[in-house]
Amino acid sequence: MRIYLDHNATTPIHPDVLVAMLPYYRRGFGNPSSIHRFGREARQAVDEARGKVAQLIGARPSEIVFTSGGTEADNLAIKGAVLAREEKGGHIITSAIEHYAVLVTCQYLEKRGFEVSFLPVDHDGFLDPDDVRRAITDRTVLISIMHANHEVGTIEPLEEIGKLATERDIPFHTDAVQSVGKVPIDVGTLGVNLLSLSAHKLYGPKGVGALYIRQGTKILPQVYGGHQELNFRAGTENVAGIIGLGKAAEIALHKTEVEGKRLCWLRDRLWERIKESGGSVQLNGHPTRRLPNTLNVAFDLVEGESLVINLDLRGVAVSTGSACTSGSLEPSHVLLAMGVSPSIARGSVRFSLGMENTQEEIEDTANVLEEVVRRLRLTSPLNEDGMVTSSYGRSIGRKV
Ligand SMILES: *Cc1c(COP(=O)(O)O)cnc(C)c1O
């Protein structure tokens, strides 16, 4: 048995995406900047892909810049926007639950003299637009708030924040890497100037993504060289990767809503089974304003890492927090920012469903989970003094 429930970390390539990509590793290998036919064919294919990505998010093709992924798109958006408006001084508004691609970029800028407000969220991981309103100053040069959180799936109130940003003429960026392809997205409705997405989170290849740059938004390139990507991002295009992203966007456009309903049903089924199997559990994330595929659960008296390892031994792949921080044993910064206690955060596991998952897999997962959780709780290394100790014998927090 091999069940993959870690789609927020990455997704398998859709078979049709791979088929679309292969010719560009073979006869279609031309450099899009070349003027001969090899080049022109590659250029045309890249531009078609640009159109498909634009269509998925309600943008114009000329507003899409291909990058090496979500991380680079976030870096380009944030550094590019604030460095283009430096003359205003520099205050950046973001949230405490961003992906590291945004968080660490903002911390870097903080070290370089920018002032950064890392806004808090409530217990559901939801940001209050009024906090954004209050944080805005005359020196604010960028607001960057993620669309949906990667660990708990909470969907943020971008429309309200977008209105504030427009009123004050402040560029508004969103990291939509987790939401593109999972929920319908329209950049106009959201009111964003900049939006990051990544192919490998929507059944495309790794190493390619895109930044939507609304026409007229001032951005300084972060990679210098040739004139590729409308002068926003130098370097010979990852042609096959871009074609793959285009195909993934085309598939997502037609599937998002129906697939969202299916995944939501499966996810809620898993949650019901988890609650039925007894023991104290808690849902992390917003009960309703949440990605349809994401379920983050805190299991009382269980260490998340042990649960992940034991489930893996039984063929079920899940994760604690995000892929970037797993293995660190530090509790998730997202859960801590939501006010979840460190010990409960350490007992939290993320199930993120995707296209290949079936109901049978969900029932199998629930069965295995029930067994593994019961065993871990029985053998839970609780010391007399009430300290929970990890399987390595290290003390990891108070008894909950
Ligand atoms: C995965 C992810 C990223 C990084 O995207 P890469 O393409 O892996 O660089 C950024 N933000 C969020 C919310 C993500 O989930």
Side-chain angles (χ1 to χ4, degrees):
M1 187 167 84
R2 266 191 94 175
I3 299 175
Y4 185 78
L5 295 175
D6 200 12
H7 292 80
N8 287 11
T10 195
T11 57
I13 290 198
H14 189 290
D16 295 351
V17 168
L18 185 60
V19 167
M21 291 172 69
L22 284 175
Y24 296 91
Y25 285 120
R26 295 181 177 137
R27 273 189 55 228
F29 65 87
N31 184 328
S33 299
S34 302
I35 56 173
H36 48 61
R37 186 160 157 199
F38 289 88
R40 290 198 316 274
E41 283 175 2
R43 160 68 49 218
Q44 196 191 339
V46 165
D47 286 340
E48 273 169 27
R50 202 185 301 284
K52 290 172 183 172
V53 173
Q55 200 186 352
L56 181 63
I57 60 170
R60 298 177 209 176
S62 59
E63 295 173 316
I64 301 296
V65 168
F66 291 114
T67 66
S68 66
T71 301
E72 192 196 325
D74 285 340
N75 271 264
L76 173 57
I78 296 168
K79 289 188 249 169
V82 304
L83 295 176
R85 289 168 66 113
E86 221 171 7
E87 74 278 7
K88 269 189 91 182
H91 170 235
I92 301 166
I93 296 173
T94 188
S95 84
I97 61 164
E98 298 294 318
H99 188 274
Y100 280 175
V102 168
L103 216 51
V104 179
T105 303
C106 288
Q107 285 165 353
Y108 159 79
L109 289 167
E110 201 173 25
K111 283 203 198 88
R112 301 295 303 251
F114 284 85
E115 189 196 331
V116 185
S117 303
F118 298 93
L119 298 183
V121 292
D122 68 13
H123 201 66
D124 295 330
F126 200 63
L127 189 122
D128 182 352
D130 276 337
D131 283 342
V132 176
R133 185 196 309 278
R134 281 189 284 268
I136 293 174
T137 72
D138 291 339
R139 300 176 64 245
T140 306
V141 286
L142 179 71
I143 300 173
S144 178
I145 303 290
M146 72 195 323
H147 190 202
N149 183 266
H150 47 302
E151 292 189 28
V152 297
T154 299
I155 299 174
E156 302 300 340
L158 293 197
E159 292 181 30
E160 286 92 328
I161 300 168
K163 286 198 189 95
L164 293 173
T166 309
E167 273 166 27
R168 302 292 298 264
D169 197 24
I170 300 165
F172 179 27
H173 166 247
T174 190
D175 176 336
V177 171
Q178 285 297 342
S179 54
V180 172
K182 296 195 183 101
V183 293
I185 286 181
D186 182 81
V187 288
T189 311
L190 294 178
V192 294
N193 301 82
L194 301 156
L195 179 147
S196 309
L197 60 93
S198 174
H200 77 98
K201 302 283 173 83
L202 66 146
Y203 308 99
K206 291 165 184 61
V208 58
L211 180 65
Y212 155 75
I213 305 177
R214 180 185 291 179
Q215 195 179 346
T217 305
K218 276 195 277 173
I219 280 278
L220 274 189
Q222 297 302 303
V223 176
Y224 290 90
H227 296 300
Q228 293 91 350
E229 292 304 296
L230 319 152
N231 279 325
F232 282 117
R233 203 269 190 178
T236 301
E237 298 86 341
N238 173 3
V239 176
I242 288 169
I243 305 310
L245 172 52
K247 188 68 190 177
E250 184 189 327
I251 295 169
L253 182 67
H254 302 293
K255 281 190 73 116
T256 303
E257 242 162 306
V258 177
E259 179 64 1
K261 286 203 183 101
R262 191 186 75 93
L263 292 180
C264 190
W265 189 89
L266 288 179
R267 177 199 70 185
D268 291 346
R269 170 77 190 145
L270 181 59
W271 176 227
E272 285 309 314
R273 290 279 321 261
I274 291 172
K275 283 189 291 187
E276 279 166 17
S277 51
S280 174
V281 288
Q282 169 189 312
L283 175 78
N284 295 317
H286 199 284
T288 53
R289 276 194 66 118
R290 189 154 48 103
L291 290 175
N293 79 320
T294 306
L295 178 65
N296 191 306
V297 180
F299 294 87
D300 199 7
L301 299 183
V302 171
E303 194 201 340
E305 293 277 317
S306 308
L307 185 49
V308 169
I309 292 165
N310 281 278
L311 286 176
D312 187 46
L313 289 172
R314 301 289 302 272
V316 179
V318 302
S319 75
T320 59
S322 64
C324 334
T325 47
S326 53
S328 69
L329 279 185
E330 280 297 303
S332 135
H333 73 279
V334 173
L335 295 177
L336 294 185
M338 287 164 56
V340 175
S341 77
S343 60
I344 293 189
R346 284 197 188 87
S348 296
V349 166
R350 177 186 72 190
F351 305 85
S352 47
L353 283 59
M355 208 165 58
E356 351 71 67
N357 296 137
T358 60
Q359 185 180 354
E360 196 186 351
E361 287 187 332
I362 294 306
E363 305 298 346
D364 287 346
T365 298
N367 295 339
V368 169
L369 190 61
E370 185 171 355
E371 223 182 288
V372 170
V373 168
R374 187 180 302 137
R375 181 162 49 81
L376 287 176
R377 280 191 177 133
L378 277 177
T379 58
S380 176
L382 279 173
N383 290 339
E384 316 281 289
D385 63 359
M387 291 298 284
V388 180
T389 320
S390 80
S391 40
Y392 320 108
R394 189 164 359 140
S395 168
I396 61 159
R398 307 275 336 157
K399 178 184 173 184
V400 286

